[in-house]
Amino acid sequence: ALLPSTIYCPAILEMIGGVDRQPQVDIQAIVHVTGGGLLGRVGSLCRRMGIGLSLDDPFPPSEVMLKLQEFGRISDREAYSTWNMGNGMLVVTEDPDSVIALAGTHQVEAKLAGRIVGIESTAIRNRGAYSEAEPFLYL
């Protein structure tokens, strides 16, 4: 069955305040994970902000993504560099509980995926088809 895309706009607009409202949450950055995959988008954010991230609990990729990896013999690094691997948007904030709660009011599933780790290297827990061989992917 095909499912519609998650539309993040109403939740994000409420968080940042939109044009004529006050922000509901203090947000440092938003990453919409599209072309360039999770590794590319997170890497770009980290370079711009001068930070490292430890994403030790990202959403898992869908079964379809895992099957495509297997059929095409696509490495986990390539899959995470091309696809979102189950993670459509990341919000960097010091108030994750408020972001999660507000996202829920818009029927957007959200959770704490990781944390800022200063300027250390960025690591993403690998949940791809071959994750046993490489549990974390580093930028």
Side-chain angles (χ1 to χ4, degrees):
L2 293 175
L3 300 174
S5 297
T6 300
I7 306 300
Y8 302 103
C9 187
I12 295 298
L13 280 174
E14 187 171 346
M15 288 176 202
I16 65 172
V19 176
D20 58 352
R21 292 192 193 140
Q22 291 293 93
Q24 299 299 305
V25 184
D26 184 25
I27 293 176
Q28 284 74 46
I30 300 170
V31 179
H32 187 208
V33 186
T34 56
L38 187 60
L39 283 175
R41 294 295 181 197
V42 167
S44 177
L45 168 77
C46 290
R47 285 187 298 279
R48 279 195 319 268
M49 292 184 72
I51 62 172
L53 294 175
S54 175
L55 299 179
D56 52 1
D57 193 21
F59 281 106
S62 69
E63 287 299 317
V64 170
M65 286 181 180
L66 296 174
K67 288 294 182 197
L68 288 171
Q69 266 193 272
E70 291 173 12
F71 291 147
R73 296 186 183 126
I74 299 169
S75 72
D76 289 338
R77 179 163 293 280
E78 182 65 26
Y80 275 89
S81 295
T82 305
W83 301 324
N84 70 22
M85 295 300 277
N87 299 271
M89 183 163 287
L90 299 172
V91 174
V92 179
T93 181
E94 293 181 9
D95 189 4
D97 292 336
S98 293
V99 167
I100 293 166
L102 200 121
T105 66
H106 292 273
Q107 290 70 54
V108 173
E109 185 180 2
K111 68 176 188 167
L112 182 62
R115 63 192 188 290
I116 296 174
V117 290
I119 58 172
E120 300 170 32
S121 68
T122 294
I124 299 173
R125 179 174 303 278
N126 182 0
R127 296 207 166 145
Y130 310 106
S131 59
E132 286 95 32
E134 192 175 9
F136 283 88
L137 299 173
Y138 295 93
L139 300 182

